[in-house]
C-alpha cells in the first residue's frame, strides 16, 4: 500500500501558477495537517525560509523541527499570541488555518493587514468561501491573491490520476466548484 497526502502537492501546484517558491521567504499561519503538508512541499520546492506562526507552540515547533531536520530550508517558529505584523522581505503569506472557513466567514486572522505590502503573494487554503476576508484585505493592498479552490482542484486532479491513471481537466473541475461556492 502507498499513502499519499494531496494537500501539499495540490497547494504547491496552485501556487506555482503565480510564483515559484524557490528562494522565497514564506510566512505561514497554522501548524496543523494542511500546514504540515504545505510547509514540507514548499521546502522541497526550494523555499529559502518558512516562518511558522501558530498559537500552539508545541505543534508549531514540531513542524519547524521537521522542516529544519529533513530539508535544506530554514524554518523559524513565532508564537501567535497577539496581532502579527508581516516582516519586511516576505514574498509569500499563507493562511493554512481554518480561520474564515464557512460558516464562520467573518472570522479574521489576527494580523496587521497594513503590513501586507504590494506585490506579496497571499494565499488561503480555504475553498469556501473562495474570497476570504484575508484575500479581500490583501487584494485591496495590491497583493497577488490565490484562493483555496486551486488547491482543491489540484488535489482532485492528483487523486483521480492516482486512482484511475486518467488526467482530469482542472478547468472543468474549477468551473464546477465556482458554481457551487460562488
Amino acid at each position: 500500500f502507498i499513502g499519499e497526502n494531496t494537500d501539499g502537492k495540490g497547494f504547491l501546484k496552485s501556487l506555482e501558477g503565480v510564483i515559484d517558491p524557490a528562494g522565497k521567504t514564506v510566512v505561514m499561519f497554522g501548524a496543523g495537517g494542511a500546514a504540515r503538508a504545505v510547509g514540507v512541499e514548499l521546502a522541497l520546492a526550494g523555499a529559502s525560509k518558512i516562518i511558522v506562526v501558530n498559537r500552539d507552540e508545541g505543534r508549531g515547533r514540531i513542524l519547524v523541527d521537521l522542516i529544519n531536520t529533513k530539508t535544506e530550508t530554514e524554518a523559524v517558529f513565532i508564537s501567535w499570541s497577539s496581532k502579527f505584523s508581516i516582516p519586511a522581505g516576505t514574498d509569500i503569506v499563507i493562511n493554512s488555518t481554518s480561520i474564515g472557513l464557512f460558516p464562520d466567514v467573518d472570522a479574521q486572522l489576527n494580523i496587521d493587514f497594513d503590513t501586507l505590502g504590494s506585490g506579496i503573494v497571499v494565499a488561503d487554503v480555504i475553498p469556501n468561501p473562495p474570497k476570504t476576508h484575508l484575500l479581500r484585505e490583501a487584494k485591496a493592498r495590491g497583493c497577488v491573491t490565490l484562493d483555496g479552490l486551486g488547491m482543491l482542484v489540484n488535489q482532485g486532479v492528483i487523486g483521480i490520476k492516482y486512482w484511475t491513471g486518467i488526467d482530469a481537466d482542472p478547468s472543468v473541475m474549477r468551473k464546477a466548484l465556482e458554481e457551487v461556492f460562488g
Side-chain angles (χ1 to χ4, degrees):
F1 294 102
I2 297 173
E4 277 291 344
N5 179 330
T6 58
D7 286 358
K9 289 178 176 65
F11 177 83
L12 182 63
K13 178 87 171 153
S14 182
L15 182 67
E16 288 173 336
V18 294
I19 191 171
D20 179 354
K24 302 295 189 289
T25 297
V26 178
V27 170
M28 183 171 67
F29 294 96
R36 182 182 175 102
V38 167
V40 167
E41 288 297 332
L42 287 170
L44 294 174
S48 62
K49 184 176 185 179
I50 300 174
I51 301 167
V52 176
V53 182
N54 198 54
R55 292 176 290 204
D56 181 310
E57 184 171 346
R59 212 173 191 185
R61 292 203 183 277
I62 288 169
L63 177 53
V64 164
D65 290 345
L66 173 72
I67 293 169
N68 282 328
T69 58
K70 301 290 185 182
T71 75
E72 299 297 314
T73 299
E74 175 193 359
V76 176
F77 172 76
I78 296 178
S79 179
W80 195 11
S81 55
S82 59
K83 188 170 280 201
F84 186 80
S85 295
I86 306 300
T90 298
D91 301 297
I92 302 168
V93 173
I94 303 164
N95 175 32
S96 63
T97 75
S98 60
I99 297 170
L101 180 64
F102 180 86
D104 195 10
V105 298
D106 293 325
Q108 299 178 21
L109 292 175
N110 189 17
I111 66 173
D112 179 355
F113 293 105
D114 289 330
T115 60
L116 288 171
S118 178
I120 292 177
V121 173
V122 178
D124 208 322
V125 301
I126 292 175
N128 184 17
K131 291 180 178 65
T132 61
H133 180 267
L134 171 64
L135 296 183
R136 291 192 311 268
E137 291 287 341
K139 190 172 189 75
R141 287 161 176 79
C143 298
V144 176
T145 60
L146 188 64
D147 66 38
L149 290 180
M151 174 178 161
L152 190 58
V153 165
N154 288 316
Q155 286 180 274
V157 169
I158 293 165
I160 290 168
K161 181 72 171 183
Y162 282 144
W163 284 97
T164 68
I166 295 170
D167 292 313
D169 183 342
S171 64
V172 171
M173 294 170 74
R174 170 118 192 164
K175 186 171 185 270
L177 283 173
E178 286 173 348
E179 288 172 9
V180 171
F181 294 135

